[in-house]
Amino acid sequence: DSGVTQTPKHLITATGQRVTLRCSPRSGDLSVYWYQQSLDQGLQFLIQYYNGEERAKGNILERFSAQQFPDLHSELNLSSLELGDSALYFCASSVFGTGLYNEQFFGPGTRLTVL
Amino acid sequence: ELKVEQNPLFLSMQEGKNYTIYCNYSTTSDRLYWYRQDPGKSLESLFVLLSNGAVKQEGRLMASLDTKARLSTLHITAAVHDLSATYFCAVGVQGGSEKLVFGKGTKLTVNP
């Protein structure tokens, strides 16, 4: 158990809908990262927040957005869902925003199925 | 743009045998990570390699890093069934964030 929690574990929804995935980082960690894992794209970095501020952006679609709240938990919002958005979404956390000794610890993931 | 290439992508081996998984990356980085993933599960951190020549061992797994060759290896010694999983290498992008770029993963199956 990494100490990173994600809810829900599974989510089944229909095309066109909007969902929110939630992540609580390990105690003391200031950075939160979101990754998407799908069969065709593999594991891809979506976005990073550090202490409430967006730090880095990866291959995140415009239909997706994220935020980090004052208590450091983060939410990933996915809207106008398409079949291709079905994937495992991981949240990771680390102590710092960057630096050599800044290992990321991964949560259990949320499996999203879009029908 | 940083690219990470792992090979082989699939590896079927017999218990007791040795094998090596390779991870090549395209641009300079000072941090490389190996993760294990069981089906439907999260990523479990195996090794953190932060300097050229770094070698770390845990049980039957040993990881090394050659930053000049931009190559990391994960060596499996005397494989056992419990090592069956998918192994990912991930390289940290330097400068400003800790974004990780992952290889496609190596699905390892150890047969009795």
Side-chain angles (χ1 to χ4, degrees):
Chain A
D1 184 355
S2 67
V4 179
T5 60
Q6 287 185 250
T7 56
K9 281 190 178 174
H10 302 277
L11 202 45
I12 301 174
T13 188
T15 54
Q17 295 298 305
R18 173 191 167 95
V19 297
T20 298
L21 312 184
R22 183 187 167 107
C23 167
S24 292
R26 294 185 318 158
S27 176
D29 284 0
L30 298 177
S31 258
V32 168
Y33 311 78
W34 287 97
Y35 291 87
Q36 180 196 57
Q37 185 177 33
S38 62
L39 279 175
D40 50 344
Q41 298 290 331
L43 263 160
Q44 291 210 311
F45 168 76
L46 295 178
I47 197 163
Q48 176 196 5
Y49 277 83
Y50 173 71
N51 205 20
E53 302 282 330
E54 183 184 302
R55 187 71 182 248
K57 223 167 181 174
N59 299 325
I60 187 166
L61 299 170
E62 281 191 19
R63 301 183 284 109
F64 296 1
S65 65
Q67 53 184 327
Q68 186 179 28
F69 294 87
D71 68 351
L72 300 176
H73 91 271
S74 177
E75 292 181 357
L76 178 67
N77 300 297
L78 315 177
S79 61
S80 302
L81 284 167
E82 302 175 1
L83 295 178
D85 298 327
S86 296
L88 197 46
Y89 291 84
F90 285 110
C91 167
S93 73
S94 68
V95 176
F96 305 111
T98 186
L100 260 187
Y101 305 99
N102 196 35
E103 186 178 357
Q104 293 179 33
F105 295 88
F106 283 77
T110 293
R111 181 169 294 282
L112 173 66
T113 303
V114 182
L115 301 174
Chain B
E1 184 192 336
L2 174 61
K3 292 193 185 307
V4 180
E5 207 171 281
Q6 250 181 273
N7 67 83
L9 297 183
F10 297 93
L11 179 53
S12 180
M13 52 192 298
Q14 287 202 309
E15 280 192 328
K17 298 292 187 184
N18 305 332
Y19 210 84
T20 300
I21 299 170
Y22 297 88
C23 175
N24 288 91
Y25 53 99
S26 61
T27 63
T28 302
S29 175
D30 55 5
R31 60 207 77 181
L32 189 137
Y33 307 86
W34 285 96
Y35 291 91
R36 168 184 171 142
Q37 186 180 37
D38 292 298
K41 302 290 187 184
S42 186
L43 294 160
E44 175 193 348
S45 177
L46 294 175
F47 299 107
V48 178
L49 302 169
L50 300 177
S51 60
N52 187 41
V55 177
K56 291 200 174 176
Q57 182 160 7
E58 180 74 36
R60 299 172 189 276
L61 300 178
M62 183 173 72
S64 66
L65 177 61
D66 181 343
T67 57
K68 291 177 184 171
R70 296 179 191 155
L71 170 69
S72 180
T73 61
L74 180 66
H75 186 73
I76 303 152
T77 302
V80 293
H81 180 68
D82 283 354
L83 290 179
S84 297
T86 299
Y87 293 84
F88 291 92
C89 66
V91 181
V93 175
Q94 285 183 279
S97 82
E98 266 296 318
K99 162 185 165 176
L100 293 179
V101 178
F102 283 82
K104 289 189 183 299
T106 296
K107 185 170 181 181
L108 171 67
T109 304
V110 181
N111 303 303

